[in-house]
Amino acid sequence: MTSLDIQLLLTALVSVLVLVALIVSRIKMHPLLALLVVSIGVGFATGMEPGSIVKQLSNGAGKTLGAVGVVIALGAMLGKILADAGITEKIAEAILKHASDRMIPWAMTLVAFIVGIPMFFEVGLVVMLPLIFSVARKLESQARFKGSAYVYVGVPVISALAAMHGMVPPHPGPLTAIATLKTTVGPTMLYGFLAAIPAMVLGGPLYGAFIAPRMNTKPDQTLLDQFTITGNADGKQPGIAIGVLAALLPAILMLVHAVAEMLLPKDSSAMHVASFLGNPLIAMLLGVLFAIVALVLARGGDMEKLREALGQSLKPIASIIMIIAGGGAFQQMLTSAKVGDAIVHLTQQFAFPPLILGWLIAMLLSVSTGSATVGIVGAAGLLAPLAGADPSLNLPLLALSIGCGSLFFNYANHAGFWMVKESFGMTMSEATKTISVVQSIVAVVGLIMVLIFNALLSVQ
């Protein structure tokens, strides 16, 4: 390691500490302002030109808004339509009717597991928020429940979505590792599913039952009302089946795309159609349009009221979207400063088995740069020569190990951290106790499962 590497690592560490201090100290700076101020500080501390700093800020915020912002807005619209039509309420009632208080987190884990197969973490959370809030609000109304019902219901969803996002193809992280290491999708997917089950159980229902009684988290009332209070619907009430289809249509389209990627040639016409329809933005747009037709127009709804309701649905999430954009700018600044290169140089000083080394490199890159993708690309690229030279190395397990490492300790330089924090109305400490700890549990359990699989296969 060089003195420059040490400087970059210290800069990354200090930047996160300063960010937290600006938000939680007496200054109480708004997270968006704090993220931008710290990002600029990182740029100057690492010797960037002023023009380059501005460019990286714009690129980071714009890229994050393009990938996540519009999808979140469409998700808010879909959630508002479902709430006003009474669909979310009906689904919540069905879950509460058929599951005891203790079984609710397990039911939510199963729903998130299914939704998370094709959906990115942020997209899946947007789709699940109305259901989380509706179930939690009803649970909260029961006098016997102690602690935060929103954490109790939300943690299992976060755990399941994170596990699927980092461990199971066709999510981009696992697919990137598979392509770089030149291994196959089938075994990696099988190992990923098997590893995800204990990871999301320990990080979800079990940890949620432990932490929820110790927290009093409650989302902003405006956002809560938007997703849980049934509007004054005109005309015939829609059936639960058509409502569930409207809620799951984006997930179905993304799942079709995922299956097509595994079965169809990349240059086929059907693949191009599936890729277009399964794009998160297009899938969410089609979901909103289908909900408008099936849940509003088909029962004689007032389009003027609908337009007003959809406009109102964007107001509570405007702050969330901008803070996520600030997180994207911070992430981009750390990545452009070559903090990832310093991490790679650090890991080269130690000798670890390949499966542990892949997890460790991906973890350090993800934590330091705020990008799971950087973690996976960096770790897979660094270990690709070793993968080709060692025929005894189980490449699907190596790809899975790298994906698990990229999930560890999602914190203030990750856009997903801010999405969870702001959606649930959490403090920095509460968000750390939930998403950061949950994803760390998932990552560590995933690594343990990889090592168990490898030991069992070595015995045979």
Side-chain angles (χ1 to χ4, degrees):
M1 288 184 65
T2 66
S3 59
L4 177 59
D5 292 330
I6 296 173
Q7 178 188 341
L8 289 173
L9 293 175
L10 289 175
T11 299
L13 176 62
V14 171
S15 67
V16 173
L17 295 177
V18 171
L19 174 63
V20 175
L22 289 175
I23 295 172
V24 304
S25 66
R26 291 184 178 181
I27 299 175
K28 298 294 182 184
M29 185 177 287
H30 189 276
L32 175 59
L33 296 178
L35 284 163
L36 293 177
V37 168
V38 172
S39 298
I40 293 171
V42 169
F44 281 117
T46 54
M48 289 187 187
E49 296 292 333
S52 178
I53 292 175
V54 173
K55 181 179 179 181
Q56 297 303 329
L57 282 176
S58 300
N59 288 345
K63 184 167 59 177
T64 303
L65 281 177
V68 179
V70 178
V71 174
I72 293 175
L74 291 171
M77 290 183 173
L78 179 58
K80 180 62 174 174
I81 296 171
L82 293 172
D84 284 353
I87 299 301
T88 311
E89 192 80 0
K90 291 179 181 178
I91 297 174
E93 289 175 354
I95 291 176
L96 291 169
K97 181 179 179 181
H98 294 93
S100 64
D101 289 0
R102 290 186 177 181
M103 291 304 297
I104 286 173
W106 297 89
M108 296 299 293
T109 300
L110 178 60
V111 175
F113 174 80
I114 296 171
V115 170
I117 291 174
M119 286 191 167
F120 300 169
F121 176 84
E122 290 86 358
V123 180
L125 185 60
V126 169
V127 171
M128 290 292 295
L129 275 179
L131 185 58
I132 293 171
F133 288 174
S134 294
V135 173
R137 192 167 195 170
K138 286 181 173 294
L139 193 60
E140 186 182 42
S141 65
Q142 301 174 6
R144 65 179 182 275
F145 188 84
K146 304 299 182 183
S148 172
Y150 300 92
V151 172
Y152 186 66
V153 177
V155 161
V157 172
I158 293 170
S159 178
L161 291 176
M164 300 307 291
H165 184 84
M167 298 185 188
V168 181
H171 291 283
L175 282 180
T176 300
I178 289 168
T180 304
L181 298 173
K182 294 182 172 56
T183 184
T184 52
V185 172
T188 308
M189 178 175 284
L190 176 61
Y191 293 140
F193 275 122
L194 293 176
I197 292 172
M200 66 186 185
V201 167
L202 288 170
L206 297 184
Y207 179 70
F210 167 77
I211 195 64
R214 295 164 172 80
M215 297 178 68
N216 296 304
T217 299
K218 186 172 183 177
D220 180 82
Q221 191 64 40
T222 305
L223 187 63
L224 194 58
D225 291 344
Q226 172 176 313
F227 285 147
T228 60
I229 294 181
T230 303
N232 297 321
D234 300 322
K236 185 180 178 182
Q237 290 290 318
I240 185 68
I242 193 70
V244 171
L245 176 59
L248 293 182
L249 182 59
I252 293 171
L253 292 173
M254 293 184 202
L255 182 59
V256 169
H257 176 212
V259 174
E261 281 191 318
M262 293 183 286
L263 300 179
L264 298 177
K266 291 184 178 181
D267 57 350
S268 66
S269 300
M271 182 63 227
H272 290 311
V273 172
S275 179
F276 175 75
L277 296 178
N279 179 278
L281 193 153
I282 300 299
M284 288 299 298
L285 175 60
L286 292 175
V288 172
L289 295 177
F290 178 80
I292 290 174
V293 174
L295 305 181
V296 181
L297 294 181
R299 57 191 179 93
D302 188 327
M303 287 300 293
E304 186 65 31
K305 289 183 179 179
L306 174 65
R307 185 173 70 174
E308 182 179 345
L310 294 182
Q312 291 292 327
S313 72
L314 298 178
K315 294 181 180 179
I317 57 128
S319 177
I320 297 175
I321 292 175
M322 295 313 300
I323 291 172
I324 290 173
F330 185 32
Q331 170 193 314
Q332 181 67 36
M333 195 65 69
L334 290 171
T335 303
S336 300
K338 305 297 183 183
V339 172
D341 291 348
I343 292 293
V344 171
H345 296 158
L346 174 65
T347 59
Q348 289 174 339
Q349 309 299 311
F350 306 97
F352 292 101
L355 295 179
I356 295 178
L357 183 61
W359 186 93
L360 186 62
I361 295 173
M363 180 272 288
L364 291 172
L365 287 172
S366 177
V367 170
S368 61
T369 66
S371 172
T373 302
V374 170
I376 291 173
V377 170
L382 190 65
L383 295 179
L386 177 62
D390 185 357
S392 65
L393 183 58
N394 190 310
L395 298 185
L397 286 181
L398 180 59
L400 176 58
S401 175
I402 290 171
C404 292
S406 72
L407 295 173
F408 190 85
F409 206 72
N410 188 304
Y411 197 53
N413 51 352
H414 287 74
F417 175 90
W418 294 103
M419 183 173 178
V420 171
K421 176 186 179 300
E422 297 301 316
S423 296
F424 285 85
M426 295 176 173
T427 63
M428 292 291 290
S429 174
E430 289 171 335
T432 304
K433 293 175 184 177
T434 50
I435 182 171
S436 300
V437 174
V438 167
Q439 294 209 184
S440 297
I441 293 172
V442 170
V444 172
V445 174
L447 174 62
I448 293 172
M449 293 302 297
V450 165
L451 298 178
I452 291 174
F453 294 153
N454 188 60
L456 293 175
L457 293 170
S458 299
V459 171
Q460 296 178 354

